[in-house]
Amino acid sequence: MTDAKTLAYINMYAVLGTLENLCALDENARAILTNKKPITVGLFVKDGPNATITFKNGRCRMEGGIGPCDIKLPFSSCEKFNGLIDGTVTPIPTKGLQHIGFLLKCFVPLTDLLAKYMRPDPADLEDENFFNISTSLMLYTISVAISQIGNNDEIGKFSAHLIPDGDIQLSIAGGPGATIRVKNHHLVTIKKLPESPRALMEFSSMKLARELFDGKVNAVACIGAGTIKMGGMINMVDNVNRILDRVALYLA
């Protein structure tokens, strides 16, 4: 079972939040924003997550909460916001109608490009650069989704309650990595490697990470084979893995 509110937090911070990484990794994404006036988009979800995305100099940055923004997109419920992500809801700005061109010519193409990487055509994955970007974006999305599920999903919160304070490293050897920071059973994802992790889980290669993300290989078998490296406080990784099992349900 999943719930709409947890999905809204995942869609906001794990899915749309990955636009930051898309712009950093993909030159086509940067080109969409090149030579454009800096602009901010505020996303307000009633009884749900709120965020402000700033687009500037070919990059973008998401911050939690509604700050000063040029465009404001309100959603009356978590279900309505989730409809934006699955393409069934078209929001009407309550601020910044004069910037509607940015939404149509920049924001939508960026989200379409992100969707291409997150739900790729198998043929596209044959290109090594596309494969690496797609897999990296999935790692970032999954790492943030872990925190959102641990903080909002009832089953996820049970596992989060069992995790002691400290940093957990989730990474791909020679590739991207993230930190799951736990404090008082609240999880926060930081999209860079921790300096002093109390626990770690590292995939041996981009190929292995991809196969795991796509459900083609079994994590337990990989741990036994040594292709997933685990270290530190194993109970921390154990409970993150339980939350990770929930990620597939929400991102399916």
PDB file of all heavy atoms in Angstrom, residues 68-86:
ATOM      1  N   PRO A  68      10.251  33.999  -2.235  1.00  0.00           N
ATOM      2  CA  PRO A  68       9.885  34.915  -3.315  1.00  0.00           C
ATOM      3  C   PRO A  68       9.971  34.195  -4.653  1.00  0.00           C
ATOM      4  O   PRO A  68      10.951  33.501  -4.942  1.00  0.00           O
ATOM      5  CB  PRO A  68      10.940  36.021  -3.198  1.00  0.00           C
ATOM      6  CG  PRO A  68      11.415  35.951  -1.787  1.00  0.00           C
ATOM      7  CD  PRO A  68      11.375  34.504  -1.420  1.00  0.00           C
ATOM      8  N   CYS A  69       8.944  34.318  -5.476  1.00  0.00           N
ATOM      9  CA  CYS A  69       8.946  33.589  -6.745  1.00  0.00           C
ATOM     10  C   CYS A  69       8.283  34.418  -7.844  1.00  0.00           C
ATOM     11  O   CYS A  69       7.438  35.270  -7.582  1.00  0.00           O
ATOM     12  CB  CYS A  69       8.249  32.233  -6.595  1.00  0.00           C
ATOM     13  SG  CYS A  69       6.545  32.310  -5.998  1.00  0.00           S
ATOM     14  N   ASP A  70       8.691  34.139  -9.081  1.00  0.00           N
ATOM     15  CA  ASP A  70       8.104  34.811 -10.239  1.00  0.00           C
ATOM     16  C   ASP A  70       6.818  34.128 -10.685  1.00  0.00           C
ATOM     17  O   ASP A  70       5.909  34.769 -11.207  1.00  0.00           O
ATOM     18  CB  ASP A  70       9.107  34.808 -11.400  1.00  0.00           C
ATOM     19  CG  ASP A  70      10.402  35.504 -11.034  1.00  0.00           C
ATOM     20  OD1 ASP A  70      10.350  36.703 -10.724  1.00  0.00           O
ATOM     21  OD2 ASP A  70      11.466  34.840 -11.038  1.00  0.00           O
ATOM     22  N   ILE A  71       6.774  32.808 -10.510  1.00  0.00           N
ATOM     23  CA  ILE A  71       5.601  32.014 -10.882  1.00  0.00           C
ATOM     24  C   ILE A  71       5.180  31.191  -9.665  1.00  0.00           C
ATOM     25  O   ILE A  71       6.022  30.556  -9.029  1.00  0.00           O
ATOM     26  CB  ILE A  71       5.912  31.051 -12.052  1.00  0.00           C
ATOM     27  CG1 ILE A  71       6.452  31.819 -13.265  1.00  0.00           C
ATOM     28  CG2 ILE A  71       4.671  30.245 -12.437  1.00  0.00           C
ATOM     29  CD1 ILE A  71       7.010  30.916 -14.352  1.00  0.00           C
ATOM     30  N   LYS A  72       3.891  31.184  -9.363  1.00  0.00           N
ATOM     31  CA  LYS A  72       3.404  30.350  -8.264  1.00  0.00           C
ATOM     32  C   LYS A  72       2.358  29.380  -8.795  1.00  0.00           C
ATOM     33  O   LYS A  72       1.375  29.788  -9.416  1.00  0.00           O
ATOM     34  CB  LYS A  72       2.798  31.205  -7.142  1.00  0.00           C
ATOM     35  CG  LYS A  72       2.411  30.377  -5.913  1.00  0.00           C
ATOM     36  CD  LYS A  72       1.938  31.260  -4.763  1.00  0.00           C
ATOM     37  CE  LYS A  72       1.592  30.431  -3.527  1.00  0.00           C
ATOM     38  NZ  LYS A  72       1.138  31.266  -2.396  1.00  0.00           N
ATOM     39  N   LEU A  73       2.616  28.102  -8.551  1.00  0.00           N
ATOM     40  CA  LEU A  73       1.698  27.055  -8.982  1.00  0.00           C
ATOM     41  C   LEU A  73       1.083  26.407  -7.735  1.00  0.00           C
ATOM     42  O   LEU A  73       1.773  25.714  -6.992  1.00  0.00           O
ATOM     43  CB  LEU A  73       2.430  25.999  -9.807  1.00  0.00           C
ATOM     44  CG  LEU A  73       3.094  26.466 -11.104  1.00  0.00           C
ATOM     45  CD1 LEU A  73       3.848  25.314 -11.751  1.00  0.00           C
ATOM     46  CD2 LEU A  73       2.048  27.021 -12.068  1.00  0.00           C
ATOM     47  N   PRO A  74      -0.206  26.642  -7.489  1.00  0.00           N
ATOM     48  CA  PRO A  74      -0.860  26.046  -6.310  1.00  0.00           C
ATOM     49  C   PRO A  74      -1.558  24.737  -6.670  1.00  0.00           C
ATOM     50  O   PRO A  74      -2.039  24.549  -7.793  1.00  0.00           O
ATOM     51  CB  PRO A  74      -1.884  27.111  -5.926  1.00  0.00           C
ATOM     52  CG  PRO A  74      -2.302  27.678  -7.258  1.00  0.00           C
ATOM     53  CD  PRO A  74      -1.085  27.603  -8.168  1.00  0.00           C
ATOM     54  N   PHE A  75      -1.611  23.843  -5.700  1.00  0.00           N
ATOM     55  CA  PHE A  75      -2.316  22.574  -5.871  1.00  0.00           C
ATOM     56  C   PHE A  75      -3.194  22.379  -4.645  1.00  0.00           C
ATOM     57  O   PHE A  75      -2.730  22.498  -3.511  1.00  0.00           O
ATOM     58  CB  PHE A  75      -1.331  21.417  -6.026  1.00  0.00           C
ATOM     59  CG  PHE A  75      -0.420  21.564  -7.221  1.00  0.00           C
ATOM     60  CD1 PHE A  75       0.769  22.276  -7.112  1.00  0.00           C
ATOM     61  CD2 PHE A  75      -0.769  21.026  -8.448  1.00  0.00           C
ATOM     62  CE1 PHE A  75       1.600  22.443  -8.207  1.00  0.00           C
ATOM     63  CE2 PHE A  75       0.050  21.176  -9.550  1.00  0.00           C
ATOM     64  CZ  PHE A  75       1.241  21.892  -9.429  1.00  0.00           C
ATOM     65  N   SER A  76      -4.448  22.064  -4.860  1.00  0.00           N
ATOM     66  CA  SER A  76      -5.416  21.991  -3.759  1.00  0.00           C
ATOM     67  C   SER A  76      -5.273  20.726  -2.921  1.00  0.00           C
ATOM     68  O   SER A  76      -5.870  20.638  -1.835  1.00  0.00           O
ATOM     69  CB  SER A  76      -6.843  22.077  -4.311  1.00  0.00           C
ATOM     70  OG  SER A  76      -7.090  21.016  -5.227  1.00  0.00           O
ATOM     71  N   SER A  77      -4.502  19.770  -3.392  1.00  0.00           N
ATOM     72  CA  SER A  77      -4.318  18.527  -2.652  1.00  0.00           C
ATOM     73  C   SER A  77      -3.072  17.813  -3.146  1.00  0.00           C
ATOM     74  O   SER A  77      -2.538  18.126  -4.220  1.00  0.00           O
ATOM     75  CB  SER A  77      -5.532  17.598  -2.834  1.00  0.00           C
ATOM     76  OG  SER A  77      -5.596  17.156  -4.187  1.00  0.00           O
ATOM     77  N   CYS A  78      -2.620  16.838  -2.373  1.00  0.00           N
ATOM     78  CA  CYS A  78      -1.476  16.018  -2.805  1.00  0.00           C
ATOM     79  C   CYS A  78      -1.821  15.249  -4.070  1.00  0.00           C
ATOM     80  O   CYS A  78      -0.978  15.074  -4.956  1.00  0.00           O
ATOM     81  CB  CYS A  78      -1.076  15.053  -1.690  1.00  0.00           C
ATOM     82  SG  CYS A  78      -0.309  15.865  -0.269  1.00  0.00           S
ATOM     83  N   GLU A  79      -3.069  14.793  -4.164  1.00  0.00           N
ATOM     84  CA  GLU A  79      -3.492  14.054  -5.354  1.00  0.00           C
ATOM     85  C   GLU A  79      -3.376  14.913  -6.605  1.00  0.00           C
ATOM     86  O   GLU A  79      -2.952  14.431  -7.677  1.00  0.00           O
ATOM     87  CB  GLU A  79      -4.933  13.565  -5.194  1.00  0.00           C
ATOM     88  CG  GLU A  79      -5.103  12.429  -4.198  1.00  0.00           C
ATOM     89  CD  GLU A  79      -5.233  12.897  -2.757  1.00  0.00           C
ATOM     90  OE1 GLU A  79      -5.107  14.121  -2.492  1.00  0.00           O
ATOM     91  OE2 GLU A  79      -5.454  12.044  -1.879  1.00  0.00           O
ATOM     92  N   LYS A  80      -3.745  16.198  -6.499  1.00  0.00           N
ATOM     93  CA  LYS A  80      -3.654  17.096  -7.655  1.00  0.00           C
ATOM     94  C   LYS A  80      -2.195  17.297  -8.059  1.00  0.00           C
ATOM     95  O   LYS A  80      -1.865  17.307  -9.246  1.00  0.00           O
ATOM     96  CB  LYS A  80      -4.296  18.446  -7.319  1.00  0.00           C
ATOM     97  CG  LYS A  80      -5.809  18.416  -7.183  1.00  0.00           C
ATOM     98  CD  LYS A  80      -6.488  18.198  -8.529  1.00  0.00           C
ATOM     99  CE  LYS A  80      -7.997  18.325  -8.405  1.00  0.00           C
ATOM    100  NZ  LYS A  80      -8.671  18.085  -9.710  1.00  0.00           N
ATOM    101  N   PHE A  81      -1.325  17.457  -7.074  1.00  0.00           N
ATOM    102  CA  PHE A  81       0.094  17.625  -7.393  1.00  0.00           C
ATOM    103  C   PHE A  81       0.656  16.372  -8.054  1.00  0.00           C
ATOM    104  O   PHE A  81       1.422  16.455  -9.016  1.00  0.00           O
ATOM    105  CB  PHE A  81       0.896  17.966  -6.141  1.00  0.00           C
ATOM    106  CG  PHE A  81       2.369  18.045  -6.385  1.00  0.00           C
ATOM    107  CD1 PHE A  81       2.906  19.060  -7.173  1.00  0.00           C
ATOM    108  CD2 PHE A  81       3.230  17.101  -5.847  1.00  0.00           C
ATOM    109  CE1 PHE A  81       4.279  19.130  -7.419  1.00  0.00           C
ATOM    110  CE2 PHE A  81       4.595  17.164  -6.084  1.00  0.00           C
ATOM    111  CZ  PHE A  81       5.119  18.179  -6.870  1.00  0.00           C
ATOM    112  N   ASN A  82       0.278  15.213  -7.547  1.00  0.00           N
ATOM    113  CA  ASN A  82       0.745  13.973  -8.168  1.00  0.00           C
ATOM    114  C   ASN A  82       0.268  13.874  -9.612  1.00  0.00           C
ATOM    115  O   ASN A  82       0.940  13.286 -10.458  1.00  0.00           O
ATOM    116  CB  ASN A  82       0.256  12.761  -7.355  1.00  0.00           C
ATOM    117  CG  ASN A  82       0.900  12.695  -5.980  1.00  0.00           C
ATOM    118  OD1 ASN A  82       2.004  13.180  -5.779  1.00  0.00           O
ATOM    119  ND2 ASN A  82       0.203  12.090  -5.020  1.00  0.00           N
ATOM    120  N   GLY A  83      -0.886  14.481  -9.878  1.00  0.00           N
ATOM    121  CA  GLY A  83      -1.392  14.517 -11.248  1.00  0.00           C
ATOM    122  C   GLY A  83      -0.509  15.323 -12.177  1.00  0.00           C
ATOM    123  O   GLY A  83      -0.423  15.032 -13.379  1.00  0.00           O
ATOM    124  N   LEU A  84       0.158  16.345 -11.639  1.00  0.00           N
ATOM    125  CA  LEU A  84       1.117  17.108 -12.449  1.00  0.00           C
ATOM    126  C   LEU A  84       2.231  16.194 -12.936  1.00  0.00           C
ATOM    127  O   LEU A  84       2.633  16.240 -14.101  1.00  0.00           O
ATOM    128  CB  LEU A  84       1.717  18.252 -11.625  1.00  0.00           C
ATOM    129  CG  LEU A  84       2.928  18.971 -12.259  1.00  0.00           C
ATOM    130  CD1 LEU A  84       2.489  19.821 -13.437  1.00  0.00           C
ATOM    131  CD2 LEU A  84       3.657  19.826 -11.223  1.00  0.00           C
ATOM    132  N   ILE A  85       2.720  15.334 -12.038  1.00  0.00           N
ATOM    133  CA  ILE A  85       3.843  14.465 -12.376  1.00  0.00           C
ATOM    134  C   ILE A  85       3.435  13.373 -13.346  1.00  0.00           C
ATOM    135  O   ILE A  85       4.208  13.013 -14.247  1.00  0.00           O
ATOM    136  CB  ILE A  85       4.446  13.846 -11.091  1.00  0.00           C
ATOM    137  CG1 ILE A  85       4.851  14.955 -10.107  1.00  0.00           C
ATOM    138  CG2 ILE A  85       5.642  12.968 -11.433  1.00  0.00           C
ATOM    139  CD1 ILE A  85       5.855  15.953 -10.647  1.00  0.00           C
ATOM    140  N   ASP A  86       2.211  12.835 -13.197  1.00  0.00           N
ATOM    141  CA  ASP A  86       1.815  11.765 -14.122  1.00  0.00           C
ATOM    142  C   ASP A  86       1.107  12.286 -15.368  1.00  0.00           C
ATOM    143  O   ASP A  86       0.645  11.512 -16.213  1.00  0.00           O
ATOM    144  CB  ASP A  86       0.964  10.694 -13.411  1.00  0.00           C
ATOM    145  CG  ASP A  86      -0.388  11.206 -12.911  1.00  0.00           C
ATOM    146  OD1 ASP A  86      -0.916  12.176 -13.485  1.00  0.00           O
ATOM    147  OD2 ASP A  86      -0.915  10.626 -11.940  1.00  0.00           O
TER     148      ASP A  86
END
